[in-house]
Amino acid sequence: MTTFTDISFTSNDGLQLYARDYPSQGGQAKCAVICIHGLTRNSGDFEELAPWIAEQGRRVIAVDVRGRGRSQHDADPEHYNTVTYANDVIKLARDLGIGRAVFIGTSMGGLITMTVAARKLNLIAAAVLNDVGPALSAKGLGRIAGFAGKAVEVQDWDEATQYIRQVNVSAFPDNSMEEWSKWARRAFAQNIDGKLVLQYDPNIARPLQTGQLKSKSWVANFAFRRLARNRPVLLIRGDLSDLVEPEQLAYMRDLAPDMQYAEVNGVGHAPMLMEAQAQKAIREFLATVD
């Protein structure tokens, strides 16, 4: 499996942020890929996808959005918003000398990608939106608000695994315990006292809990249209998704008739992108971007 290099960079407002850098594995250099995770997740979500893409001849950067993983928590919770996150990603790309990249955004990562498109479209060569768009189902938002940012106490890795399974089993009904255990080790880490804690600042959920993140907004519509009408876009959706349901899918297709689409069977929000249907769609999509 492709190894990665740890990257530490400083945001415009002085936070120390983190990313993983997976080097291209031979062949002619192609456009780099920037992977951005979901609300409560981190760069570990791409620990299988990133090497797989790197083997196709692309450098892959997987970020820890501020407040998650190894990135510093923000003392001001008001900074936990997609505009700030987009600025952080733009800064990272500039620091690394990346002038153009394919963006792969899962859930919140897709919203960040759309925000980057609204602010610096030239940075985006193409985009994969993983189970997210400008219109979101209230059902899915309510489910995520029910656990994101809430206090969790687990005594060991078995309890951590059971917690992850409890929260996500409706979206991944066929997952094995091995998969749940792998997921738990991405979601939790030991603190300096040896206690297992979730790898995010609870304040990151505030926009969802206060209603700042809405199911529809003109800002999201503008950002999505700007992205999808000017760049190739692939939407990947789990057929059990409660965040992008058929109504939201139809809405996106009306706004962007040229958008490519792939559906992952038996999975909800959000596909891990290593499923066979997702891999096929991503491989074929990347092959069109130089």
Side-chain angles (χ1 to χ4, degrees):
M1 181 175 289
T2 306
T3 58
F4 60 86
T5 300
D6 295 325
I7 293 177
S8 178
F9 69 104
T10 305
S11 69
N12 291 325
D13 55 351
L15 259 63
Q16 293 301 304
L17 305 179
Y18 172 83
R20 298 180 178 189
D21 187 351
Y22 295 81
S24 166
Q25 297 301 293
Q28 183 179 0
K30 300 176 184 177
C31 186
V33 174
I34 295 176
C35 297
I36 313 175
H37 59 76
L39 178 68
T40 63
R41 315 290 276 277
N42 57 67
S43 59
D45 268 17
F46 302 106
E47 64 185 7
E48 294 177 334
L49 180 73
W52 178 74
I53 293 175
E55 289 170 0
Q56 298 173 45
R58 296 182 186 273
R59 181 187 188 185
V60 183
I61 309 297
V63 304
D64 277 354
V65 175
R66 66 170 61 199
R68 288 85 164 172
R70 293 173 61 179
S71 285
Q72 188 176 350
H73 293 188
D74 198 316
D76 184 353
E78 295 300 319
H79 292 164
Y80 289 137
N81 62 72
T82 56
V83 172
T84 302
Y85 301 150
N87 288 339
D88 291 344
V89 173
I90 292 168
K91 172 68 159 51
L92 170 62
R94 184 168 68 242
D95 287 357
L96 296 178
I98 296 174
R100 182 170 169 270
V102 178
F103 278 62
I104 298 179
T106 292
S107 194
M108 179 195 72
L111 299 180
I112 295 171
T113 297
M114 289 159 49
T115 306
V116 171
R119 302 179 71 80
K120 194 174 178 63
L121 182 62
N122 287 344
L123 182 56
I124 301 178
V128 178
L129 301 179
N130 184 16
D131 216 59
V132 70
L136 305 172
S137 169
K139 178 182 177 182
L141 289 176
R143 178 183 59 81
I144 297 169
F147 70 84
K150 303 295 177 64
V152 175
E153 289 193 12
V154 297
Q155 301 303 314
D156 53 33
W157 284 110
D158 285 341
E159 289 190 10
T161 299
Q162 289 298 335
Y163 167 78
I164 292 298
R165 181 182 183 280
Q166 175 186 347
V167 169
N168 297 286
V169 69
S170 63
F172 297 87
D174 298 327
N175 262 17
S176 66
M177 289 308 296
E178 180 182 359
E179 285 296 322
W180 293 126
S181 177
K182 187 188 302 183
W183 192 332
R185 290 180 182 274
R186 293 192 294 259
F188 285 85
Q190 286 185 314
N191 64 15
I192 57 174
D193 299 320
K195 183 177 180 180
L196 292 179
V197 294
L198 286 166
Q199 291 201 71
Y200 67 83
D201 179 353
N203 285 322
I204 58 100
R206 185 171 294 188
L208 186 58
Q209 295 167 347
T210 59
Q212 290 174 269
L213 178 60
K214 301 183 184 302
S215 58
K216 280 188 180 181
S217 74
W218 72 266
V219 175
N221 274 7
F222 168 79
F224 175 72
R225 288 199 307 269
R226 180 169 167 82
L227 173 63
R229 294 180 181 181
N230 292 284
R231 297 292 185 269
V233 171
L234 166 65
L235 171 65
I236 295 179
R237 172 183 173 269
D239 72 340
L240 303 180
S241 177
D242 61 357
L243 195 68
V244 180
E245 296 184 300
E247 177 185 344
Q248 288 77 38
L249 172 60
Y251 182 77
M252 293 177 71
R253 283 177 151 167
D254 284 344
L255 288 179
D258 294 331
M259 178 184 71
Q260 298 179 47
Y261 176 67
E263 191 164 283
V264 179
N265 295 332
V267 170
H269 182 75
M272 298 305 295
L273 302 182
M274 290 303 292
E275 302 89 353
Q277 292 142 314
Q279 282 190 310
K280 180 177 184 295
I282 292 171
R283 184 186 292 277
E284 292 176 353
F285 184 72
L286 289 178
T288 67
V289 184
D290 58 19

